Amino acid sequence: MGNKSSDKSESWARIWRPSKSWYLLWMPFGAVLAVVVGALAVMGFNAGLTYSNTNEFCYGCHVGMDTVVEEYEASSHFNNRKGVSPDCADCHVPKEFLPKMKVKTIALLNLYHQFVGTYNLDNFEDHRLPLAEIVWADLLATNSRECRNCHNPEQWDRLAQPARARTNHDPALWERTGETCIDCHYGIAHKRPTIE
């Protein structure tokens, strides 16, 4: 028994004895520094994602370059009797993390084209239809996921809708036809681009 207690006291003494390797003292400081830098990086990343989802950020490129902002602000998605006004990101950026990162990565390519002049005030309408078709295809592929973030069919009062909408908003019809919101509702917040 005496040996066990002396072994314990010796091991505690070794732990609290100053090390001859002075550089080991920097390890706790380095660990704390790594945690602080990591936390700041996560906060910065989150702040960047949040800011890049604001209308202010989107308007940075689109105001003055084209009519996308003006069309959106004239639409029922911006001005309506209920006062509900989704931001650009509500329709164009998924809420889930991985799909959001995919969209943000693709958006970097659009920013590149903006900076090198591929898209500018003079030629934006030439690029508008192919860009819109990409958005429409994404909405079709995700069963209009971004539309459904705000428009929940389970909460609709279909009896209050006009007869045509009531018929077209029947979930049984969607199951039979495989249609989704974007099959009928495109050109809502922005005009439908056309080939001239």
Side-chain angles (χ1 to χ4, degrees):
M1 271 234 193
N3 287 342
K4 283 188 180 179
S5 67
S6 72
D7 287 346
K8 280 185 182 178
S9 61
E10 282 180 31
S11 61
W12 280 108
R14 270 186 272 149
I15 290 173
W16 294 106
R17 187 179 319 138
S19 173
K20 292 180 183 173
S21 306
W22 61 270
Y23 59 88
L24 293 176
L25 296 174
W26 286 98
M27 287 178 65
F29 176 73
V32 169
L33 184 64
V35 168
V36 169
V37 168
L40 290 174
V42 168
M43 289 170 32
F45 177 75
N46 189 43
L49 277 182
T50 301
Y51 178 69
S52 68
N53 280 346
T54 63
N55 281 358
E56 178 186 14
F57 179 82
C58 298
Y59 287 8
C61 291
H62 284 289
V63 167
M65 184 183 86
D66 51 57
T67 59
V68 171
V69 171
E70 291 81 3
E71 291 167 4
Y72 159 66
E73 289 185 348
S75 77
S76 61
H77 273 92
F78 188 79
N79 288 310
N80 58 67
R81 66 181 179 261
K82 295 190 177 183
V84 177
S85 182
D87 289 337
C88 302
D90 290 325
C91 297
H92 293 283
V93 181
K95 304 275 186 233
E96 298 80 11
F97 184 75
L98 290 178
K100 180 188 297 188
M101 291 300 96
K102 179 183 174 190
V103 166
K104 295 289 185 180
T105 303
I106 292 169
L108 289 174
L109 181 62
N110 289 337
L111 286 175
Y112 165 79
H113 285 296
Q114 172 86 22
F115 291 129
V116 299
T118 308
Y119 307 145
N120 58 48
L121 186 58
D122 297 327
N123 69 7
F124 181 72
E125 286 300 319
D126 298 337
H127 297 282
R128 189 162 180 188
L129 180 60
L131 292 171
E133 287 173 339
I134 291 169
V135 173
W136 297 336
D138 285 344
L139 284 168
L140 281 171
T142 62
N143 193 21
S144 301
R145 173 185 54 211
E146 280 65 55
C147 301
R148 293 171 193 271
N149 286 335
C150 295
H151 302 279
N152 183 350
E154 294 173 8
Q155 295 177 343
W156 289 344
D157 181 0
R158 287 186 43 235
L159 295 176
Q161 296 177 351
R164 181 174 175 214
R166 190 177 323 125
T167 302
N168 290 334
H169 288 161
D170 181 359
L173 173 69
W174 296 340
E175 287 180 26
R176 270 195 324 274
T177 62
E179 288 184 337
T180 186
C181 308
I182 196 66
D183 284 304
C184 299
H185 299 283
Y186 58 96
I188 299 276
H190 307 290
K191 73 176 185 178
R192 296 180 193 183
T194 56
I195 300 171
E196 295 180 8

